[in-house]
Amino acid sequence: MKAFQIGEQSGIQSLTATTRPDPVAAAGQVVVAPRLISLNNRDIQILRGSYGAKKPQERVPVSEGVGIITSVGDGVTAFAVGDRVISSHFVNWSGGDFGYHAFGFDLGVTHDGWLAERVAIPAHALIRVPEALSDAQAAALPSAGLTAWNALVEVGKVKAGDLVLCLGTGGVATFALQIAKANGARVAITSSSDEKLALARTLGADITINYRTSADWAAELMAQTGNTGADIVVETGGQGTLGQSIAAAAVNGRIVIIGVTAGQGLSVPNYGTIIGKNLTLKGIANGSNAMLAKLVRAVEVNKIDPLVAKTFKFDEAPEAYAYFAAAEHVGKVMIELA
Amino acid sequence: MKAFQIGEQSGIQSLTATTRPDPVAAAGQVVVAPRLISLNNRDIQILRGSYGAKKPQERVPVSEGVGIITSVGDGVTAFAVGDRVISSHFVNWSGGDFGYHAFGFDLGVTHDGWLAERVAIPAHALIRVPEALSDAQAAALPSAGLTAWNALVEVGKVKAGDLVLCLGTGGVATFALQIAKANGARVAITSSSDEKLALARTLGADITINYRTSADWAAELMAQTGNTGADIVVETGGQGTLGQSIAAAAVNGRIVIIGVTAGQGLSVPNYGTIIGKNLTLKGIANGSNAMLAKLVRAVEVNKIDPLVAKTFKFDEAPEAYAYFAAAEHVGKVMIELA
Amino acid sequence: MKAFQIGEQSGIQSLTATTRPDPVAAAGQVVVAPRLISLNNRDIQILRGSYGAKKPQERVPVSEGVGIITSVGDGVTAFAVGDRVISSHFVNWSGGDFGYHAFGFDLGVTHDGWLAERVAIPAHALIRVPEALSDAQAAALPSAGLTAWNALVEVGKVKAGDLVLCLGTGGVATFALQIAKANGARVAITSSSDEKLALARTLGADITINYRTSADWAAELMAQTGNTGADIVVETGGQGTLGQSIAAAAVNGRIVIIGVTAGQGLSVPNYGTIIGKNLTLKGIANGSNAMLAKLVRAVEVNKIDPLVAKTFKFDEAPEAYAYFAAAEHVGKVMIELA
Amino acid sequence: MKAFQIGEQSGIQSLTATTRPDPVAAAGQVVVAPRLISLNNRDIQILRGSYGAKKPQERVPVSEGVGIITSVGDGVTAFAVGDRVISSHFVNWSGGDFGYHAFGFDLGVTHDGWLAERVAIPAHALIRVPEALSDAQAAALPSAGLTAWNALVEVGKVKAGDLVLCLGTGGVATFALQIAKANGARVAITSSSDEKLALARTLGADITINYRTSADWAAELMAQTGNTGADIVVETGGQGTLGQSIAAAAVNGRIVIIGVTAGQGLSVPNYGTIIGKNLTLKGIANGSNAMLAKLVRAVEVNKIDPLVAKTFKFDEAPEAYAYFAAAEHVGKVMIELA
């Protein structure tokens, strides 16, 4: 089969085309033929060597996609050849609380991922895609979508009428916008680009703030919300934005910490505000398979259609990575297999 | 002022027109001139003597409405004459868990309610109505709306993709339908009337079941949901429907118990199913002022417009009661003051 | 190996001694040599044919025990020969919410259990027993102990100062008593025997009620608690006691439904009290592996030593069943292997 | 009456003896004669002008104590002259979530507090002290005790077997130690003094770390806990200790932020660990009256007796402040009235 693997050199140019034997479905596994796969920020970080302690050389990268089962191993009864499926990338986080076991089996990091013509996946991590969902609706749910769902629903306890603040227009942020709207919330979103903010409004954003022209965007949000602020902040910005996120949060607000910039310390001037507003800050890393099943259902019921910035052919995977890394797009960057 | 009060005889004909001195705003209170008030099932029960231990004779009835403040007592700083407000009817349940103190100050039961030209209310129970809301959007929130909110959001933890089951098309059930839809849920609803079910579909109901033609409506719901059932059941039916509600619930489902038929014991054949599905049954009585504030926000953000069956004039209050008691309507029965 | 299996005839006399080939550890499994095993009410029900839809003939029964690993299958890295372990009996309920998958792999029901010289168990269901715990402290945790833990900690949210009500002195109830005391709660317990109540007091029970002499034991509990009642009721009694449990519960109380009597409908006169007190009723079936790990830690830190009524030899397993079924004992009935 | 009030100059020497007219119980209020009052860190900060935006000159300070009701105002029915009571110092935070309204009526800050022969308090903030509790057991519950309870029970969800980490041996930390033990948890505590650590062990501390000799106390805790860390960190240290608290926390740990050093920014090197461990950081400010009622019950059931460092006479209040400010003591500093 054709595949891409992670090479030695640093940076996204280390993505290397290769051929490999087709994987065989071991007991409890299936083999999937990917149809549409989706890139995430961590795929770039992995190639740059800034994700985790060690660059996973020779690994097939990419942690999310949708495909068709081509073979099933011994003992697999819940799935059959021909089923269209997605998979948790933290293969062993079935449900309940996060644990370090999640990091132990991570598609695209510790085990071969989706950027190949075939990928072997334990059946217990799979979820069947409802017929009503397109490939594009399904492909980006396991990583970007699930992170947004965990942030808003599991941690944030979002409900109709809440104000959700999304930082920027990346994959997690735009999914968060859409999931928040599906749950009846109001959404504020920041960007350095008026074009991106206009796009966010087409997805339902209620308040848009250009942080280039409104550097103190927390104050701007407070001004636009009668000084109440955001019930939930989807903190994808990292250490550099946390201080403003604290300032922008409502009393009893929940700041869900997703983004971190490698090698940078945190420095915030308003630590006391965490007490003054009784804020909750909670770090998350993706989510469980049980959460993913709920997200799939929410997407189907609410017909959530993720914004796709651009779709590349399989052979153009390096171009897809470069396009993603340039960070000029809004929404998801995808790669389709014929 | 003109008012109605509860008379001696039993039944809704005991509603009696009267005149009284205008109430005076004591310290911490305001006086409100009602503009639109709304009837609930318990208003009927109160007149029939089947609500609580003792019929509250000479009480001005009705627990919810919207009005304008006409005077404020000493120490009231958060509200002013001219403000348009609603009020919790459990005046002293500000927030947190339910407690018996809620029953101790209950508008329309222990203290005079809304069916008069003026009503005195402690300021701490008031919520200002946003300008964007019509009187009709506001008037029915404190009782029917808040009960539905408590059931779905506080107890049920409703989220996008959940399936919510509403029993019948009464005031709580139709609010529950609308609040569930605002939170991105799917809604199933039962009725004995195809006309009422058609009306429910216009409010967004996804699954409608006529329990006259489908007597085993739990089995019908299971058949229509791939045997998964309802995540949340808004149990307004009372003892007679609980067995079917248990049968219709999903694994880990939450059955929120609101309705009870006086003097009738409970008898269900499927007690073991509560264990087999790990169900939660939770009784609620209305909700807190803190919940009501969240509901108002959700109504504004999602433009929820309650279904009004019919609106009567103040002098027609007895006709409004009779119309409500006939139970042929769908949605809210309201009374407007000139 | 020597083993007992479930025979054709009904009743506990269908327990049959047999010999079988030793189980072999398949990939992902270990084989355990039981040292001490523990009986539960459902073991009796299984033999009587009243547990689940179908009696599991030829199955090795018993769902909890402690033993030593004698061999490990391919891919098992977290455990080694010689490790002392216990196991979830719902093998596939790792964490998170209950699901029907729990019933799909149930030691002693769907798969061979502990009443043999060897038992094969998937490694992901195992928990290593800390050195500080005796075999007797460990053997009864997976079924009786875990059910009590789920009821009190996960559902009941027990905390110091709460009042916990346990019905009777069976295995779950006595564990609940001890776990409640470890969490700083006060405990009330009922029994028909003053001797059993005296024994409960030695385990820390604060309030003991003989329901033979105090038939209205709910009223008796209210009288002894200044009319506040129980925050948590561990409802092991079944349909026949639920009405009294509702009457004995505090405002906002949680009644955890564990016991059910086959073939009996529920009939309670005080359904409205569920609303009046805002009660929560929640059915549970055992618990997850993640909960079991927390229980083991709690037992170690608090040195919880379960009450053992009597310990039998392996060959005396039929006598152990008969002793258990007579229901004259207090605490756990155990079987030790040489 | 005799009282102390806050003077103009900065520092604890601004505490000024004075005489004032006795307060009169307005409608809804009672007047209390304090018997034993208790100092807290914020009492020092208030005198130093570093608590809140503005120093409350002429205010009678101190936020917690126990006393006897000497008169009741109109409408007060739940309390009578002679009742022994304590009071929430956030008078209007009855229950539910924290809100800014808590800061609006704060005994010893916005309204006159306990350091006088009489103090007027709204009746809805009072809790009757059970007979079984001594004055010393009751006096320090509303501020130090309640903060520890909120941290451990409400936010931390402490349960038997958890590991709780307390920083230092101040009033909140020693209460947290005792409340954690009452809930069946294991406790680790840090101090710069071996003497203080020895005292902590007499209160039940399981792990004691001298952070002078073990500067990297987080690593020391990890070494002593098999690398698992603390489930709950009671973060009273402020910005300077947060980085170590993050390092010392277990996966899914909860760090409850209580302490803040005025005018100091936060700087931590291990921000990414918040994600890597899925940590929760939550700021709290005291707690609600509903929580205080639960704490009182827990203290009674578990016979928690707070450590009192030293008790001063009323006239020695300045000495008590100086003794407290020197920070050489362990436990509570109290002032008794004859």
Side-chain angles (χ1 to χ4, degrees):
Chain A
M1 69 171 185
K2 294 201 290 185
F4 285 88
Q5 69 180 35
I6 300 169
E8 278 182 33
Q9 68 272 50
S10 181
I12 61 170
Q13 68 277 21
S14 72
L15 187 71
T16 310
T18 185
T19 61
R20 295 186 169 196
D22 277 18
V24 175
Q29 290 186 341
V30 305
V31 169
V32 172
R35 296 213 320 196
L36 186 66
I37 71 174
S38 163
L39 296 184
N40 286 285
N41 204 36
R42 74 169 195 159
D43 293 310
I44 306 299
Q45 292 172 332
I46 289 166
L47 286 180
R48 287 181 173 154
S50 62
Y51 186 90
K54 190 168 163 298
K55 190 174 175 179
Q57 284 180 26
E58 301 187 23
R59 182 78 61 231
V60 175
V62 180
S63 54
E64 63 178 2
V66 59
I68 304 291
I69 294 178
T70 59
S71 66
V72 303
D74 282 351
V76 175
T77 56
F79 295 92
V81 170
D83 284 354
R84 188 168 60 133
V85 292
I86 58 175
S87 167
S88 297
H89 72 76
F90 284 151
V91 164
N92 289 334
W93 188 8
S94 298
D97 287 338
F98 169 82
Y100 283 154
H101 66 288
F103 293 140
F105 196 142
D106 187 0
L107 291 179
V109 179
T110 66
H111 291 69
D112 285 336
W114 286 81
L115 196 52
E117 289 179 321
R118 293 289 183 281
V119 53
I121 305 176
H124 70 260
L126 300 177
I127 291 173
R128 193 174 281 103
V129 178
E131 280 187 31
L133 265 59
S134 68
D135 283 352
Q137 282 180 290
L141 299 181
S143 184
L146 180 54
T147 299
W149 177 268
N150 189 357
L152 288 175
V153 178
E154 305 288 337
V155 176
K157 310 290 179 202
V158 66
K159 60 189 171 303
D162 278 350
L163 178 62
V164 171
L165 170 61
C166 302
L167 304 190
T169 54
V172 172
T174 50
F175 254 116
L177 191 171
Q178 292 180 295
I179 292 171
K181 294 305 295 182
N183 280 282
R186 229 168 24 127
V187 175
I189 197 162
T190 65
S191 174
S192 61
S193 150
D194 286 341
E195 288 73 27
K196 291 180 177 179
L197 290 173
L199 206 44
R201 280 193 292 273
T202 67
L203 293 174
D206 300 276
I207 298 174
T208 54
I209 300 176
N210 188 321
Y211 63 78
R212 201 153 288 177
T213 50
S214 295
D216 189 351
W217 48 264
E220 176 65 23
L221 184 77
M222 282 295 180
Q224 291 200 30
T225 60
N227 221 31
T228 55
D231 299 289
I232 304 171
V233 182
V234 183
E235 225 311 338
T236 49
Q239 298 91 312
T241 52
L242 185 66
Q244 285 271 300
S245 290
I246 289 171
V251 173
N252 294 308
R254 292 129 271 160
I255 300 176
V256 191
I257 297 177
I258 297 164
V260 57
T261 312
Q264 185 184 329
L266 169 70
S267 179
V268 301
N270 51 352
Y271 184 68
T273 304
I274 298 174
I275 296 177
K277 291 181 182 174
N278 276 227
L279 298 183
T280 299
L281 288 73
K282 161 105 176 146
I284 64 166
N286 198 250
S288 71
N289 186 266
M291 295 178 203
L292 182 57
K294 289 176 183 167
L295 169 58
V296 168
R297 205 175 59 160
V299 166
E300 183 178 12
V301 169
N302 291 280
K303 301 182 173 48
I304 297 175
D305 209 353
L307 188 60
V308 179
K310 191 167 179 185
T311 302
F312 293 82
K313 298 287 176 195
F314 183 69
D315 294 339
E316 302 167 339
E319 287 79 5
Y321 269 73
Y323 177 81
F324 188 104
E328 297 294 332
H329 63 285
V330 176
K332 301 296 301 176
V333 177
M334 294 197 175
I335 297 171
E336 65 184 350
L337 286 90
Chain B
M1 68 172 186
K2 294 200 290 183
F4 285 88
Q5 68 181 36
I6 299 170
E8 279 183 35
Q9 68 273 51
S10 179
I12 60 171
Q13 68 276 22
S14 73
L15 187 71
T16 310
T18 184
T19 60
R20 294 185 169 198
D22 277 17
V24 175
Q29 290 187 343
V30 305
V31 168
V32 172
R35 298 215 314 198
L36 186 65
I37 70 172
S38 164
L39 296 184
N40 286 285
N41 203 37
R42 75 170 193 159
D43 293 311
I44 305 299
Q45 293 173 333
I46 289 166
L47 285 181
R48 289 183 172 153
S50 61
Y51 187 89
K54 189 168 166 299
K55 191 175 177 180
Q57 285 179 25
E58 300 187 26
R59 181 78 62 235
V60 175
V62 180
S63 53
E64 63 179 2
V66 60
I68 304 291
I69 294 177
T70 58
S71 65
V72 303
D74 281 351
V76 175
T77 56
F79 295 92
V81 170
D83 286 351
R84 188 169 58 134
V85 293
I86 58 175
S87 167
S88 297
H89 72 76
F90 284 150
V91 164
N92 288 335
W93 188 7
S94 298
D97 288 338
F98 169 83
Y100 282 153
H101 66 288
F103 293 138
F105 196 143
D106 187 2
L107 291 178
V109 178
T110 66
H111 290 68
D112 285 337
W114 286 81
L115 195 53
E117 288 179 322
R118 293 289 185 278
V119 53
I121 305 176
H124 69 260
L126 299 177
I127 292 173
R128 192 174 282 104
V129 178
E131 280 187 32
L133 265 58
S134 68
D135 282 352
Q137 282 181 289
L141 298 181
S143 184
L146 181 53
T147 300
W149 177 268
N150 189 358
L152 288 174
V153 177
E154 305 289 336
V155 176
K157 310 292 180 201
V158 66
K159 59 187 174 305
D162 278 350
L163 178 63
V164 171
L165 170 62
C166 301
L167 304 190
T169 53
V172 172
T174 50
F175 253 117
L177 191 172
Q178 292 180 295
I179 292 170
K181 295 305 296 181
N183 280 281
R186 229 167 22 128
V187 175
I189 196 163
T190 65
S191 174
S192 62
S193 151
D194 286 341
E195 288 72 28
K196 291 180 178 179
L197 290 174
L199 205 44
R201 280 193 293 275
T202 68
L203 293 174
D206 301 276
I207 297 175
T208 54
I209 300 177
N210 188 321
Y211 62 78
R212 202 153 289 179
T213 51
S214 296
D216 188 352
W217 47 265
E220 177 65 23
L221 184 76
M222 281 296 179
Q224 291 199 31
T225 60
N227 220 31
T228 54
D231 300 290
I232 304 171
V233 182
V234 183
E235 224 312 338
T236 49
Q239 298 91 313
T241 52
L242 185 66
Q244 286 271 298
S245 290
I246 289 172
V251 173
N252 294 308
R254 292 128 270 159
I255 299 175
V256 191
I257 295 176
I258 297 165
V260 57
T261 312
Q264 185 185 329
L266 170 69
S267 178
V268 301
N270 51 352
Y271 184 69
T273 304
I274 297 174
I275 296 176
K277 291 181 180 173
N278 276 225
L279 299 182
T280 299
L281 288 73
K282 161 105 174 144
I284 64 167
N286 199 250
S288 71
N289 187 267
M291 296 179 203
L292 182 56
K294 290 177 182 166
L295 169 59
V296 168
R297 204 176 61 160
V299 166
E300 182 177 14
V301 169
N302 292 279
K303 300 179 173 48
I304 296 175
D305 209 354
L307 187 61
V308 179
K310 191 166 179 184
T311 302
F312 293 82
K313 298 287 175 194
F314 184 70
D315 294 339
E316 301 166 339
E319 288 80 4
Y321 270 73
Y323 177 81
F324 188 104
E328 298 294 330
H329 63 285
V330 178
K332 300 296 303 175
V333 177
M334 296 196 174
I335 297 170
E336 66 185 350
L337 287 90
Chain C
M1 68 171 187
K2 293 199 291 183
F4 285 88
Q5 69 180 35
I6 299 169
E8 277 183 34
Q9 67 273 51
S10 180
I12 60 169
Q13 68 275 23
S14 72
L15 187 71
T16 310
T18 185
T19 60
R20 293 185 169 199
D22 277 18
V24 175
Q29 289 186 343
V30 305
V31 169
V32 172
R35 296 211 321 194
L36 187 66
I37 70 173
S38 163
L39 296 185
N40 286 284
N41 203 35
R42 74 169 195 161
D43 294 310
I44 305 299
Q45 294 173 332
I46 289 166
L47 285 181
R48 288 182 172 153
S50 61
Y51 187 89
K54 190 167 165 298
K55 191 174 175 180
Q57 285 180 23
E58 301 187 23
R59 182 78 62 232
V60 175
V62 179
S63 52
E64 64 179 1
V66 60
I68 304 291
I69 294 178
T70 58
S71 66
V72 303
D74 282 351
V76 175
T77 57
F79 295 91
V81 171
D83 285 354
R84 189 168 59 132
V85 293
I86 57 174
S87 167
S88 298
H89 72 75
F90 284 151
V91 164
N92 289 334
W93 187 7
S94 299
D97 288 338
F98 169 83
Y100 282 153
H101 66 289
F103 293 140
F105 196 142
D106 186 1
L107 290 179
V109 179
T110 66
H111 291 68
D112 285 337
W114 285 81
L115 195 53
E117 289 180 319
R118 294 289 184 280
V119 52
I121 305 175
H124 71 261
L126 299 177
I127 291 173
R128 193 175 281 103
V129 177
E131 279 186 32
L133 266 58
S134 68
D135 282 353
Q137 282 180 289
L141 298 181
S143 184
L146 180 54
T147 300
W149 177 268
N150 188 357
L152 287 176
V153 178
E154 305 288 336
V155 175
K157 310 289 180 205
V158 66
K159 60 187 173 305
D162 278 351
L163 178 62
V164 171
L165 170 61
C166 302
L167 304 189
T169 54
V172 171
T174 50
F175 254 117
L177 191 172
Q178 293 180 294
I179 293 170
K181 295 305 296 180
N183 281 281
R186 230 170 19 130
V187 175
I189 195 162
T190 64
S191 174
S192 61
S193 151
D194 286 341
E195 288 72 29
K196 291 180 178 178
L197 291 173
L199 205 44
R201 281 192 293 273
T202 68
L203 294 174
D206 301 276
I207 297 174
T208 54
I209 300 177
N210 188 320
Y211 62 78
R212 203 154 286 178
T213 51
S214 295
D216 189 351
W217 48 265
E220 177 63 25
L221 183 77
M222 282 296 179
Q224 292 199 31
T225 60
N227 221 30
T228 55
D231 300 289
I232 304 171
V233 182
V234 182
E235 225 310 338
T236 49
Q239 298 91 314
T241 53
L242 185 66
Q244 286 271 298
S245 290
I246 290 171
V251 172
N252 294 308
R254 293 128 268 159
I255 299 175
V256 190
I257 295 176
I258 297 165
V260 58
T261 311
Q264 186 185 330
L266 169 70
S267 178
V268 301
N270 51 351
Y271 184 69
T273 304
I274 298 174
I275 296 177
K277 292 182 181 173
N278 275 225
L279 299 183
T280 299
L281 288 73
K282 161 103 173 146
I284 64 167
N286 199 247
S288 71
N289 187 265
M291 294 178 204
L292 182 57
K294 289 177 182 165
L295 169 59
V296 168
R297 205 176 61 160
V299 167
E300 184 177 12
V301 169
N302 291 280
K303 301 181 173 46
I304 296 174
D305 209 354
L307 188 61
V308 179
K310 191 167 180 184
T311 303
F312 292 81
K313 298 287 174 193
F314 182 68
D315 293 339
E316 301 166 339
E319 287 79 6
Y321 270 73
Y323 177 82
F324 188 104
E328 298 294 331
H329 63 286
V330 177
K332 300 297 300 177
V333 177
M334 296 198 173
I335 297 170
E336 66 184 349
L337 286 90
Chain D
M1 67 172 185
K2 294 201 290 185
F4 286 88
Q5 69 178 36
I6 299 169
E8 278 184 32
Q9 68 272 50
S10 180
I12 60 169
Q13 68 275 21
S14 72
L15 187 70
T16 309
T18 184
T19 60
R20 294 186 169 198
D22 277 17
V24 174
Q29 290 186 342
V30 305
V31 169
V32 172
R35 297 213 319 194
L36 186 66
I37 70 172
S38 164
L39 295 184
N40 286 284
N41 202 38
R42 74 169 194 160
D43 293 310
I44 305 299
Q45 293 173 332
I46 289 166
L47 285 181
R48 288 183 172 150
S50 61
Y51 187 90
K54 188 166 164 299
K55 190 176 176 178
Q57 284 179 24
E58 299 186 25
R59 181 79 59 234
V60 175
V62 179
S63 52
E64 63 179 1
V66 60
I68 304 290
I69 294 178
T70 58
S71 64
V72 303
D74 283 351
V76 175
T77 57
F79 295 92
V81 171
D83 285 353
R84 189 168 59 132
V85 292
I86 57 175
S87 166
S88 297
H89 72 76
F90 285 150
V91 164
N92 289 335
W93 187 7
S94 299
D97 288 338
F98 169 83
Y100 282 153
H101 66 289
F103 293 139
F105 195 142
D106 187 0
L107 290 179
V109 179
T110 65
H111 291 68
D112 285 337
W114 286 81
L115 196 51
E117 290 180 319
R118 294 289 183 279
V119 53
I121 306 176
H124 70 261
L126 300 177
I127 291 174
R128 192 173 282 104
V129 178
E131 280 186 33
L133 266 58
S134 69
D135 282 354
Q137 282 181 290
L141 298 181
S143 183
L146 181 53
T147 300
W149 177 269
N150 189 356
L152 288 176
V153 178
E154 306 289 336
V155 176
K157 310 289 180 204
V158 67
K159 60 187 172 304
D162 278 352
L163 179 62
V164 171
L165 171 61
C166 302
L167 304 189
T169 54
V172 172
T174 50
F175 254 118
L177 191 172
Q178 294 180 293
I179 292 171
K181 295 304 296 181
N183 281 281
R186 229 170 18 131
V187 175
I189 197 163
T190 65
S191 175
S192 61
S193 152
D194 287 341
E195 288 71 27
K196 291 180 178 179
L197 290 174
L199 206 43
R201 280 192 293 274
T202 68
L203 293 174
D206 301 276
I207 297 173
T208 54
I209 300 176
N210 188 321
Y211 63 77
R212 202 152 287 177
T213 52
S214 295
D216 189 350
W217 48 265
E220 176 64 23
L221 183 77
M222 282 296 181
Q224 291 199 31
T225 59
N227 220 32
T228 54
D231 299 290
I232 305 171
V233 182
V234 183
E235 226 309 339
T236 49
Q239 298 90 315
T241 53
L242 185 66
Q244 286 271 298
S245 291
I246 290 171
V251 172
N252 294 310
R254 293 128 269 159
I255 299 175
V256 189
I257 296 176
I258 297 164
V260 59
T261 312
Q264 184 184 328
L266 169 70
S267 179
V268 300
N270 51 351
Y271 184 69
T273 304
I274 297 174
I275 296 177
K277 291 182 181 172
N278 276 226
L279 298 183
T280 299
L281 288 73
K282 162 104 175 144
I284 64 166
N286 199 250
S288 71
N289 187 266
M291 294 179 204
L292 182 56
K294 289 177 182 167
L295 169 59
V296 168
R297 205 176 58 160
V299 167
E300 183 178 11
V301 170
N302 292 278
K303 301 180 173 44
I304 297 175
D305 208 355
L307 188 60
V308 179
K310 192 168 179 183
T311 302
F312 292 82
K313 298 285 174 196
F314 183 69
D315 293 339
E316 301 166 339
E319 288 79 6
Y321 269 74
Y323 177 82
F324 188 103
E328 298 294 332
H329 63 286
V330 177
K332 299 296 302 175
V333 177
M334 296 197 173
I335 297 170
E336 65 184 350
L337 286 89

